[in-house]
Amino acid sequence: MVIPSRPLILGVIGTDIHMVGSRVLERVLREAGFNVVHLGGAVPSDEFIKAAMETDACAILISSLSGYGEFYAQDFRKMCDEAGLKDIKLYMGGHVVMGEEIEWEEVEAKFKMFGFNGVTRPGISTDEVIKMLNADLCDANQ
Ligand code: B12
């Protein structure tokens, strides 16, 4: 299995300052061999896109805990397309929608419709995240 040399852009979107999960991901993804550019917390959508363009990234990983993930996700693929990032893979995780009583299949279907390659439910383990990224990104986007 070949880990892509092109970076993954990681950060916490919008006004969200829940930093713990993205810091944990930054560490475990680096330990797994990924090249991670971590933008920090409260990152506007266009800053993710700018960073991806500047670094020729192969994926953008968005962390969203406050419940507004869906709001930021709906136009994100369109913004990437307009910036020329046609093939970039998009992922979001954390607590991406508001509330506890959620039909997860509906959330996944919605994010797929938005053009996201993956969305992860609250409480997902880092092992599962790495498994998903290995399956999607390795041996590709070299
Ligand atoms: C700690 C915490 C805070 C701290 C954050 C400190 C900091 N600087 O990080 C403080 C006290 C500041 C805070 C504030 C708020 N919080 Co808060 N917070 C939490 C809490 C208790 C834990 C979050 C955490 O650190 N988890 C530990 C990490 C390791 O887990 P994680 O973030 O989920 O990340 C893992 C996975 O989800 C995944 N992952 C994360 N991101 C991504 C991205 C990708 C691409 C992928 C693939 C995977 C992935 O991998 C990570 C590692 O395993 C959660 C409840 C909970 N149990 O989750 C509420 C929670 C997230 N907070 C909540 C709320 C409402 C708020 C506030 C709006 C409260 C308020 N009214 O002020 C504010 C928002 C502030 C802001 N502007 O962002 C709600 C969100 C509600 C929702 N989404 O439906 C929660 C769920 C609590 C609740 N049950 O109501 N919070």
Side-chain angles (χ1 to χ4, degrees):
M1 188 175 64
V2 183
I3 306 262
S5 55
R6 290 167 66 198
L8 316 182
I9 305 298
L10 171 66
V12 189
I13 199 161
T15 56
D16 201 328
I17 54 153
H18 291 93
M19 287 302 302
V20 181
S22 77
R23 285 284 177 219
V24 170
L25 280 185
E26 177 188 20
R27 183 173 54 79
V28 298
L29 290 174
R30 286 205 176 122
E31 282 170 5
F34 287 97
N35 175 2
V36 181
V37 176
H38 191 239
L39 303 180
V43 181
S45 299
D46 56 349
E47 291 291 328
F48 283 90
I49 291 167
K50 197 169 147 217
M53 290 168 73
E54 284 172 2
T55 60
D56 188 28
C58 65
I60 298 177
L61 275 60
I62 300 171
S63 190
S64 178
L65 274 285
S66 304
Y68 300 105
E70 185 180 335
F71 169 78
Y72 292 107
Q74 57 192 344
D75 294 329
F76 202 88
R77 172 62 71 187
K78 188 165 164 265
M79 289 171 72
C80 289
D81 286 349
E82 284 169 3
L85 294 171
K86 298 270 183 214
D87 300 322
I88 194 140
K89 297 258 189 344
L90 300 180
Y91 303 90
M92 190 179 279
H95 286 257
V96 300
V97 288
M98 202 70 81
E100 306 284 333
E101 308 272 322
I102 297 158
E103 289 296 334
W104 189 247
E105 291 73 22
E106 282 177 26
V107 176
E108 284 180 324
K110 205 174 264 184
F111 273 71
K112 200 171 175 188
M113 193 183 77
F114 293 155
F116 272 66
N117 299 84
V119 57
T120 64
R121 65 183 189 283
I124 191 168
S125 72
T126 52
D127 283 350
E128 287 174 276
V129 174
I130 288 178
K131 203 171 152 196
M132 173 182 77
L133 296 178
N134 279 342
D136 278 13
L137 301 176
C138 293
D139 298 321
N141 300 301
Q142 297 307 301

